[in-house]
Amino acid sequence: AQKVTQAQTEISVVEKEDVTLDCVYETRDTTYYLFWYKQPPSGELVFLIRRNSFDEQNEISGRYSWNFQKSTSSFNFTITASQVVDSAVYFCALSEANFGNEKLTFGTGTRLTIIP
Amino acid sequence: DVKVTQSSRYLVKRTGEKVFLECVQDMDHENMFWYRQDPGLGLRLIYFSYDVKMKEKGDIPEGYSVSREKKERFSLILESASTNQTSMYLCASSLGKDAFIYEQYFGPGTRLTVT
């Protein structure tokens, strides 16, 4: 069975600080996909990134970066120079690569508050 | 842009009522999903569908059923609502083609309260 753990329930940082959100996953498959979603106060989940298990390159998108390490089963998310608009709940999710059975297993989320 | 819409943002129903939650996507996606979101539990999959008239149970299907008569529409049905079904319900869709796992796009959610 697959599992995603986001041990940080809530994080608060002052604006412009960097912050890293941790995600640890468990799966028996060798092929799988990892995702990060953002849920702002409005409630709608917004897709941020998808990464497959064969691509361990880190990715950077503006102030966002992701560090994927298969050796530690982690897929951590860093926001650089945080802004108030980054305040949201962030979810990490895992999907095993079974075509036609694309179940996403979500972590319990990390609530990030950016203090102005 | 992918758009997933849900019929209501807020809904209040009484125990024992039959409840229909509707979801429509406009991007010709093959897959559709229903989740519920509860504090401290994250999102849990109720049912999903990878084709018209096809459905698969998720992790917590008890007390729910679904219907997918058209590709763009996926309905979640609570046959007899109970107070423990008070929750936020989220619908999602994904492309579902080419043997890849694609990202899911979510609707705004329906906050259901059962009294």
Side-chain angles (χ1 to χ4, degrees):
Chain A
Q2 51 192 26
K3 183 180 177 182
V4 176
T5 301
Q6 295 180 255
Q8 303 152 309
T9 306
E10 296 191 26
I11 300 176
S12 294
V13 299
V14 176
E15 196 173 18
K16 298 184 183 173
E17 285 186 358
D18 299 347
V19 58
T20 296
L21 308 183
D22 297 332
C23 173
V24 174
Y25 62 91
E26 294 176 30
T27 178
R28 286 178 287 193
D29 275 15
T30 55
T31 304
Y32 51 89
Y33 290 76
L34 294 161
F35 302 81
W36 274 95
Y37 283 86
K38 174 183 180 180
Q39 188 176 40
S42 60
E44 191 163 335
L45 269 83
V46 177
F47 165 73
L48 295 178
I49 189 171
R50 177 188 66 175
R51 172 67 77 225
N52 74 55
S53 52
F54 296 109
D55 182 1
E56 285 194 74
Q57 280 196 339
N58 292 331
E59 177 146 346
I60 298 174
S61 175
R63 295 184 297 106
Y64 294 173
S65 62
W66 290 269
N67 183 344
F68 176 30
Q69 292 200 344
K70 286 177 78 170
S71 60
T72 55
S73 297
S74 65
F75 187 43
N76 296 338
F77 172 32
T78 297
I79 302 175
T80 302
S82 59
Q83 300 176 3
V84 172
V85 293
D86 297 326
S87 295
V89 181
Y90 290 86
F91 290 95
C92 181
L94 165 70
S95 178
E96 291 169 350
N98 299 316
F99 180 62
N101 185 13
E102 298 173 10
K103 294 171 58 174
L104 272 181
T105 297
F106 283 84
T108 52
T110 298
R111 181 177 297 278
L112 176 64
T113 301
I114 308 300
I115 303 164
Chain B
D1 269 358
V2 176
K3 194 156 181 69
V4 179
T5 56
Q6 295 183 229
S7 49
S8 306
R9 288 301 302 268
Y10 300 93
L11 209 53
V12 180
K13 295 292 183 180
R14 292 196 180 276
T15 301
E17 279 193 80
K18 191 169 186 176
V19 182
F20 293 87
L21 302 183
E22 305 286 340
C23 175
V24 177
Q25 50 94 4
D26 68 356
M27 284 302 292
D28 200 35
H29 281 178
E30 303 292 326
N31 297 339
M32 296 188 75
F33 307 82
W34 276 106
Y35 296 87
R36 64 177 281 176
Q37 182 179 7
D38 301 287
L41 297 177
L43 279 76
R44 294 178 292 165
L45 181 65
I46 305 171
Y47 269 97
F48 66 101
S49 167
Y50 53 88
D51 201 353
V52 175
K53 296 192 186 294
M54 304 299 288
K55 61 184 179 184
E56 293 285 340
K57 292 180 179 179
D59 298 319
I60 51 165
E62 298 79 19
Y64 303 94
S65 62
V66 290
S67 171
R68 194 170 181 196
E69 296 296 320
K70 294 185 178 182
K71 189 175 185 179
E72 67 271 18
R73 188 179 297 268
F74 192 35
S75 301
L76 179 70
I77 303 155
L78 287 66
E79 295 288 343
S80 178
S82 64
T83 54
N84 63 12
Q85 292 177 310
T86 291
S87 186
M88 171 71 89
Y89 290 89
L90 294 164
C91 177
S93 71
S94 70
L95 187 58
K97 289 187 165 101
D98 307 322
F100 288 112
I101 304 296
Y102 290 93
E103 58 273 17
Q104 295 180 19
Y105 291 89
F106 284 80
T110 295
R111 186 167 294 283
L112 172 67
T113 302
V114 182
T115 61

